[in-house]
Amino acid sequence: MILPGETIGILGGGQLGRMLAMAAAQLGYRCHIFAPERESVAAEVAAAFTCAEWHDAAAMARFADQCAVITFEFENVPVAPLLALPKGRLAPNTSGLEVAQDRLAEKRFVEDLGGRPAPYAPVDTTAELQAAIAAIGAPGILKTRREGYDGKGQWRIAAAEVAPASEEGGLIYEGLVRFAAEFSVILARDPAGAVRFWDSPQNVHEGGILASSTLPPPPAVAEQVEPARRLARAVAEALDHVGVLTLEFFATQDGPVFNEMAPRVHNSGHWTIEGAVTSQFANHIRAICGLPLGETATLATPLTMRNLLGQDVADPAALFADPAAQVHLYGKADIRKGRKMGHVTRLG
Ligand code: AMP
């Protein structure tokens, strides 16, 4: 067990690291952020900051020496430098990262556990794309296998188009799923294998970016949470995952269709800060430190979490007009279109 007073290392310097560090501080831990970018909204609320490249082995070793446990807030941290960390220092382990970093590996992994993704085909050339469209049908979505997030690295394909030439290689074509709603399953798993789930919100995406998460979800989602949870639990067990794990689903007429997973805390769980007995951030810290998990029950519904993107924060004072809204700003100086700047949660 890693007790309060010890230092938790966090790989990645964004808002998820910031909220993890704030939850850790509440529990009496110090956090040390490791990130390649000089500007880190996580480092601003942490006790220490190492700004170094992921492959800087000396910096990684010094960082590891100073941390009782190391976790990550970003699923595209390269795995190779993490293999040199002292055994058992990283939680969760690298297996979730390896699976989630490649959309193809992720879909195959989930299928092996009985999950159902959208119909898909790996695509490396224009000829393969045309074959995939012929087999799966259009419309569909062409995605980069690696590094895509928030709708980046994705192209809607209306008919038998050619692949974007510059992006050939390392792509995946997915049939467009006709869904009634989208939802996520978020769980925390402790080192002994105990699992707790939060309630599953309905998630609405706009332009590939999460716009809002709402509880309670409509019946179309509520009816599909049980099978989705079974799959999420199986994924957590297969990975021997410790900490928070998220799976995203489409609720369809034929049951839940797996979209993607993240071996970490998730935007669609931000409502848990005010809306659940224990937040996803606090339970992630508890899990990786070997403390008992906190209760995950929802405190009150209806509840909505809305993301604040780019210009939504241009007038910060306006965000405080609703006295019942819980405002979270991530402290990002640079307002860019579609950039996640904060979120607002409203209960009741
Ligand atoms: P992703 O980054 O893959 O999670 O995609 C972001 C969003 O795009 C999803 O949450 C959906 O709203 C939409 N999307 C992605 N893939 C599909 C698909 N195969 N069918 C329908 N919608 C999709």
Side-chain angles (χ1 to χ4, degrees):
M1 192 179 286
I2 293 158
L3 292 174
E6 298 268 20
T7 298
I8 297 170
I10 300 177
L11 301 166
Q15 67 268 14
L16 299 178
R18 179 180 175 100
M19 290 183 270
L20 280 170
M22 287 162 69
Q26 182 184 330
L27 299 178
Y29 293 95
R30 302 173 75 252
C31 283
H32 185 157
I33 307 297
F34 186 111
E37 303 84 21
R38 189 138 288 289
E39 305 280 308
S40 163
V41 297
E44 281 180 6
V45 302
F49 180 29
T50 295
C51 179
E53 295 302 321
W54 299 121
H55 291 279
D56 182 339
M60 186 65 82
R62 271 197 307 278
F63 166 74
D65 275 349
Q66 293 169 44
C67 301
V69 62
I70 297 171
T71 191
F72 46 85
E73 62 110 43
F74 173 60
E75 75 267 29
N76 287 321
V77 179
V79 170
L82 307 183
L83 301 176
L85 292 174
K87 201 171 158 39
R89 188 72 51 92
L90 188 71
N93 62 43
T94 54
S95 39
L97 285 177
E98 284 170 64
V99 170
Q101 284 178 358
D102 180 348
R103 289 185 188 273
L104 182 61
E106 182 178 90
K107 289 186 200 301
R108 287 181 173 155
F109 179 81
V110 161
E111 278 180 312
D112 285 345
L113 294 169
R116 189 160 57 97
Y120 67 92
V123 163
D124 286 319
T125 63
T126 304
E128 281 174 9
L129 176 62
Q130 275 159 353
I133 294 171
I136 293 168
I141 306 186
L142 186 65
K143 301 181 180 180
T144 54
R145 277 171 59 179
R146 294 182 166 272
E147 302 276 343
Y149 68 98
D150 286 348
K152 295 190 180 74
Q154 300 194 3
W155 301 267
R156 294 265 170 158
I157 304 279
E161 298 176 22
V162 290
S166 61
E167 296 291 343
E168 279 200 19
L171 299 167
I172 188 164
Y173 179 73
E174 289 179 24
L176 197 71
V177 177
R178 292 188 200 289
F179 54 80
E182 292 186 78
F183 68 102
S184 48
V185 171
I186 308 181
L187 64 77
R189 183 170 182 271
D190 75 11
V195 168
R196 285 181 184 262
F197 295 96
W198 282 271
D199 282 335
S200 283
Q202 175 178 9
N203 301 325
V204 175
H205 292 81
E206 287 167 11
I209 306 177
L210 183 68
S212 66
S213 296
T214 303
L215 281 173
V221 168
E223 289 157 7
Q224 304 198 2
V225 168
E226 263 326 303
R229 282 186 176 183
R230 277 199 296 279
L231 179 64
R233 183 191 287 272
V235 168
E237 284 170 3
L239 298 172
D240 196 17
H241 185 88
V242 170
V244 170
L245 173 77
T246 307
L247 271 72
E248 293 182 80
F249 292 92
F250 303 116
T252 75
Q253 273 190 339
D254 314 316
V257 171
F258 167 82
N259 177 25
E260 63 176 1
M261 57 174 265
R264 54 160 172 79
V265 289
H266 196 259
N267 194 169
S268 63
H270 290 358
W271 64 271
T272 63
I273 297 175
E274 292 91 5
V277 176
T278 311
S279 76
Q280 59 168 349
F281 301 101
N283 258 351
H284 185 76
I285 298 297
R286 285 168 174 249
I288 64 171
C289 290
L291 301 176
L293 294 177
E295 170 69 51
T296 47
T298 302
L299 290 171
T301 58
L303 165 166
T304 298
M305 184 288 308
R306 275 178 212 292
N307 268 343
L308 299 171
L309 302 179
Q311 292 299 324
D312 293 348
V313 301
D315 178 8
L319 302 172
F320 296 88
D322 176 357
Q326 306 281 342
V327 179
H328 297 251
L329 293 171
Y330 305 148
K332 297 181 184 177
D334 188 11
I335 297 182
R336 284 197 305 271
K337 188 170 177 286
R339 190 174 195 209
K340 291 177 177 170
M341 306 299 288
H343 70 267
V344 175
T345 302
R346 202 177 196 292
L347 271 77

